[in-house]
Amino acid sequence: MGSIDVTAWSAMLLGLTAMFAGIGALRKPGAWRTMLDEVESSPALQFLCGLMELVIGAGVYLANPWLPSDLLACVMKAMGGLMMAEALVILGFVDVYSQFWLRSLTHMHRGWALSTVLLGLGLTVLGSLHLG
């Protein structure tokens, strides 16, 4: 039985998640803003969002080695670290942090959604190439 390529699978799963979240945002403009409004108004959702991102980010960070010869593994490790940092900001400063996103989404919704789709597509492709 062969070993699992954690780097490839974490890139593909995060990529697919980002790609389809972006597609959903393009299909339903305003959905992300509604989600942010709901999170901002609910301490329970703030905690759950921060906790979920911390757990997922820690999993990605811990599962991917820092191997300079494997650029995708380094990118995934960095993404996991950034996810953990963002999670801590959400847990401690969601009122300030959410205002940045609310202002940004008001003017650049399609841009953020499209960039999320492209990032997701890139991670999915790179992850699948890493398998082969």
Side-chain angles (χ1 to χ4, degrees):
M1 189 156 138
S3 64
I4 296 174
D5 187 339
V6 177
T7 296
W9 280 103
S10 58
M12 287 191 304
L13 291 172
L14 279 180
L16 287 169
T17 301
M19 187 168 55
F20 282 91
I23 290 169
L26 289 170
R27 287 188 62 246
K28 295 180 181 179
W32 283 358
R33 181 173 176 95
T34 301
M35 284 190 290
L36 280 172
D37 286 336
E38 290 173 359
V39 168
E40 187 179 34
S41 66
S42 171
L45 281 176
Q46 292 167 15
F47 180 76
L48 288 175
C49 288
L51 182 62
M52 289 296 296
E53 186 173 14
L54 183 62
V55 168
I56 293 167
V60 170
Y61 182 84
L62 293 171
N64 287 284
W66 186 265
L67 299 171
S69 61
D70 187 350
L71 183 60
L72 184 58
C74 294
V75 167
M76 294 308 297
K77 189 163 200 79
M79 283 184 67
L82 290 172
M83 289 171 71
M84 289 189 296
E86 182 179 48
L88 295 174
V89 170
I90 289 170
L91 288 168
F93 305 98
V94 73
D95 54 333
V96 176
Y97 188 62
S98 63
Q99 289 306 308
F100 164 76
W101 285 110
L102 287 171
R103 283 191 305 272
S104 178
L105 286 173
T106 300
H107 303 294
M108 299 176 15
H109 175 269
R110 284 188 60 80
W112 279 116
L114 188 57
S115 64
T116 302
V117 169
L118 294 175
L119 173 70
L121 179 62
L123 283 174
T124 303
V125 169
L126 290 173
S128 61
L129 291 173
H130 201 272
L131 281 175

